[in-house]
Amino acid sequence: MNTNEKQSRNGRLLTAGLVLLSASALMAVGQRASAQTVAPPTTISTAVNSTPAATTNSATSEDRPDEPSETAAADGASPDVPTANLWGVTTQLKLEPETVADSADGKTKAAVTDSSTPAGTEATNSELTNTVSTADAQPVDQLAPASTTTATNVPTSTSDTATKQVATTPTTAATTTSPATAAADTSSQPVTQQSKTDINLAGEPSTPNVGVNATLPTDLTVANVGTSTDTAVNPSMKNPIYNLVTDATSFGAALLLYPLVASRQMTQVVSWVRTLLSPGRYDISTTWKPLADTYDPANTQAFYTAAQDWYDNDVVKEKWSVPTADGKGQVSGVYLKNGDAKKTVIYGQGWTTEPQWMGYVSKVFYDMGYNVLMTYTQGQSASSGEFITFGAKDGADWSNWIKKVNEVNGSTGDIVLYGQSLGADVALQAAAQPNLPSNVKAVIADAGFTTLPSLFYSLYSGAATTLNGLTSKIGWHLNGQIPFLPFDKLVQNLNRINKFFTGVTLDDASGLTAVSRSTLPTLFISTTDDSFIPTAQTQALYNQSSATLKRLWVLTSAVGGHASATNAVTDYQAHVAAFMKAVDAMNSGQTIQQATDQTLAA
């Protein structure tokens, strides 16, 4: 079992233990409570449509697959420069050299300077649509066991292109095997050869759902969990004693769990415990050891080894801060200036992600010629606030970050909004802000969630499954539930506590709502080995998106689990380059030939 699998298992066991302990301890309280009926919370009934999708066997290759980019020789491209043909766009990758400041000894030092924007400044933003729709859940069969690799049957649409014609009938994408990369250091984590059958979509609907927990709902809200027909989500028990007891246990569990996921101090404790359970969590070798051969682990090893030295010792770091949108605090970040470059990537922090690790990942974009601004969300790192708002407030804060970047680089330099995990949803929330400046060109959302209740249900389901593995040995089958802790009541209580401490609801952090309100070109990225935020949620975001140009890239071979697509750095840079080329072409009125086949072979 590798480090990430151990971390995922330990996390599920810890969660299951905590909720079971709280349920057991508080049961006694509930049993002694008054038999007087407790008035149920007011909820808004929202119909949830579920459209069954066609069942397919998707290529799987471990508990965490990753995505490859297709490398092909482009006409006229230099044979020494890598090229990629993605979504019908042939891209020759020209990575701008790093620009470093001269010093007395000839080596760039990691200088730190302060640059703060006074409180009270406001940001200008661009015009967006405000149409909100509801994403339909598309349940499909669970993937085959992770240890197997199969062909992928996918329906494709008709498209006449210069290279091929795709029929409207379902086709079988043959798996192709890349030669193993011998140079990668994978001795302690041997990885078998993987087939390269990543999913690449350019606007057409994404069905069926793939990856871990593909059948779980992706459109749960605080408003609709109480009306769900899924008994694991909403048990709908009519026993007044049971309801009285679970009112108490669910509230107690929410009081216990909320600080662990949202308060500044306790999330740091959780992060410390995670690192204690998985000491190699932030070891740079985790970027290449779990990586499938098809994603060039040798290049990843060389890249991130150099990135660690570059960020720790060489690149100049500037400390920036801007006021929060509500003017009640300051959010902080680190700016990495890239020579005379004017284009900038604003990079959002994930949940408990260490700033130093963000620095290593930032080199992915730095080497592509971008300045990088790494921002820290409210309630984390150097930013103010005692509670994380999961993007509900952070998206508006980014308006001030955008204004700050334009003050430094001018309003003609392109800006790309980017994030992984929680950071992806912050970027999507920022893209949905009104009146964004015209130089904000695109969004890249890597491993974002649809809604917090959907994310919580995925974790709840995992904990229930783990717990069921124990109780079933004595004949007690839980049927997707945690005893005396119904999911609907747990979420409703978490929402009440969140509203009390932050002033916003869990539904205010909806990724589905954000993507329906934004027309910015968006690239959605996920990996089928992500057991924390299922790929199905990224697919739902893509389907719901109102973007004028949207792309979906799902890595289907091993990369390392949640938010690890950047481990496949060769393919990652190729996909980003092709996407930004498509964005530039769209903005200049050019017509781009787009491939419509769902799986692009290398």
Side-chain angles (χ1 to χ4, degrees):
M1 181 179 293
N2 63 36
T3 298
N4 284 281
E5 289 171 332
K6 289 180 180 177
Q7 180 180 334
S8 177
R9 182 203 63 185
N10 291 334
R12 290 194 300 269
L13 286 172
L14 180 61
T15 302
L18 283 171
V19 294
L20 184 58
L21 177 63
S22 62
S24 301
L26 289 168
M27 254 189 67
V29 177
Q31 289 170 338
R32 293 189 187 96
S34 167
Q36 188 175 9
T37 303
V38 178
T42 302
T43 59
I44 302 173
S45 297
T46 303
V48 181
N49 297 324
S50 297
T51 305
T55 301
T56 66
N57 294 324
S58 180
T60 63
S61 53
E62 277 192 27
D63 198 12
R64 21 183 137 111
D66 182 345
E67 162 308 14
S69 69
E70 306 88 30
T71 313
D75 293 338
S78 169
D80 298 323
V81 180
T83 61
N85 190 324
L86 306 173
W87 303 295
V89 180
T90 299
T91 301
Q92 184 171 4
L93 301 179
K94 297 180 180 179
L95 306 183
E96 299 182 14
E98 303 170 20
T99 303
V100 296
D102 294 328
S103 60
D105 59 1
K107 185 176 181 181
T108 304
K109 300 298 181 184
V112 178
T113 60
D114 289 311
S115 177
S116 301
T117 301
T121 54
E122 297 179 357
T124 333
N125 310 321
S126 97
E127 189 173 10
L128 303 146
T129 61
N130 290 314
T131 303
V132 183
S133 57
T134 303
D136 292 340
Q138 296 175 334
V140 298
D141 289 347
Q142 201 80 5
L143 287 181
S147 60
T148 63
T149 302
T150 62
T152 305
N153 296 325
V154 296
T156 58
S157 58
T158 303
S159 174
D160 293 320
T161 67
T163 57
K164 58 190 167 185
Q165 183 174 16
V166 182
T168 55
T169 56
T171 60
T172 300
T175 59
T176 58
T177 304
S178 301
T181 307
D185 175 17
T186 58
S187 56
S188 63
Q189 298 285 344
V191 178
T192 57
Q193 280 188 302
Q194 309 293 339
S195 61
K196 199 168 188 177
T197 56
D198 291 350
I199 297 172
N200 287 273
L201 300 182
E204 62 271 31
S206 174
T207 56
N209 290 344
V210 298
V212 180
N213 293 332
T215 61
L216 296 182
T218 60
D219 58 356
L220 294 177
T221 65
V222 175
N224 69 27
V225 290
T227 60
S228 174
T229 58
D230 184 342
T231 56
V233 174
N234 175 27
S236 300
M237 297 293 288
K238 300 187 182 302
N239 186 319
I241 302 299
Y242 175 85
N243 286 331
L244 187 62
V245 170
T246 55
D247 283 342
T249 55
S250 61
F251 181 70
L255 282 176
L256 174 66
L257 293 173
Y258 182 76
L260 297 177
V261 299
S263 76
R264 176 186 292 275
Q265 289 80 12
M266 291 307 298
T267 54
Q268 286 302 306
V269 171
V270 170
S271 183
W272 176 79
V273 171
R274 291 171 67 194
T275 303
L276 184 66
L277 294 173
S278 302
R281 177 184 174 203
Y282 283 117
D283 190 308
I284 200 67
S285 67
T286 60
T287 60
W288 67 79
K289 285 185 176 180
L291 198 60
D293 293 338
T294 189
Y295 297 132
D296 195 1
N299 181 63
T300 295
Q301 180 175 358
F303 178 89
Y304 279 108
T305 300
Q308 184 177 39
D309 180 67
W310 165 80
Y311 186 76
D312 290 345
N313 303 307
D314 292 339
V315 70
V316 176
K317 307 174 187 72
E318 300 178 26
K319 288 184 177 179
W320 283 13
S321 64
V322 295
T324 57
D326 59 14
K328 296 180 179 179
Q330 296 271 323
V331 282
S332 301
V334 171
Y335 179 72
L336 309 177
K337 182 173 176 56
N338 194 347
D340 296 327
K342 297 300 181 184
K343 60 183 182 178
T344 303
V345 167
I346 301 180
Y347 177 6
Q349 183 181 24
W351 183 69
T352 72
T353 302
E354 292 295 329
Q356 189 175 31
W357 192 262
M358 293 175 67
Y360 303 156
V361 174
S362 70
K363 199 171 192 293
V364 171
F365 296 96
Y366 192 93
D367 282 5
M368 297 179 72
Y370 290 91
N371 305 304
V372 181
L373 171 59
M374 301 180 295
T375 66
Y376 309 136
T377 65
Q378 291 190 37
Q380 295 200 108
S381 301
S383 292
S384 62
E386 290 304 313
F387 293 93
I388 299 170
T389 67
F390 302 99
K393 291 185 176 180
D394 306 290
D397 294 341
W398 275 32
S399 294
N400 286 342
W401 281 127
I402 292 168
K403 182 176 181 180
K404 178 70 176 178
V405 169
N406 283 344
E407 288 173 352
V408 172
N409 295 328
S411 58
T412 58
D414 291 352
I415 293 176
V416 177
L417 310 179
Y418 171 75
Q420 294 176 302
S421 191
L422 168 59
D425 278 78
V426 172
L428 292 172
Q429 293 286 347
Q433 298 302 306
N435 305 316
L436 287 172
S438 59
N439 65 320
V440 179
K441 299 297 185 183
V443 188
I444 301 175
D446 185 341
F449 58 82
T450 51
T451 67
L452 284 173
S454 295
L455 170 58
F456 293 164
Y457 183 65
S458 176
L459 301 177
Y460 177 95
S461 177
T465 300
T466 301
L467 198 57
N468 186 69
L470 302 175
T471 62
S472 61
K473 294 178 180 179
I474 58 174
W476 184 13
H477 299 282
L478 303 180
N479 299 319
Q481 301 177 34
I482 295 176
F484 301 101
L485 197 63
F487 179 75
D488 58 331
K489 292 185 178 183
L490 177 62
V491 165
Q492 289 161 357
N493 281 301
L494 284 170
N495 184 62
R496 293 187 185 100
I497 297 170
N498 185 67
K499 180 69 181 292
F500 177 80
F501 284 111
T502 67
V504 294
T505 69
L506 298 180
D507 288 346
D508 289 331
S510 170
L512 288 176
T513 300
V515 297
S516 67
R517 290 178 174 173
S518 171
T519 58
L520 277 179
T522 306
L523 170 60
F524 297 93
I525 302 172
S526 184
T527 67
T528 55
D529 65 355
D530 191 337
S531 60
F532 187 70
I533 300 181
T535 294
Q537 297 203 21
T538 295
Q539 291 178 276
L541 289 171
Y542 165 81
N543 287 333
Q544 182 83 347
S545 173
S546 298
T548 53
L549 182 152
K550 61 182 180 180
R551 300 286 186 264
L552 173 66
W553 175 34
V554 179
L555 293 76
T556 59
S557 296
V559 292
H562 178 60
S564 295
T566 47
N567 291 350
V569 63
T570 305
D571 299 284
Y572 208 91
Q573 289 179 321
H575 275 75
V576 170
F579 171 66
M580 291 310 301
K581 183 173 182 179
V583 172
D584 291 341
M586 182 192 72
N587 291 333
S588 63
Q590 298 178 19
T591 301
I592 300 180
Q593 179 185 12
Q594 294 182 350
T596 58
D597 56 327
Q598 190 172 4
T599 53
L600 299 178

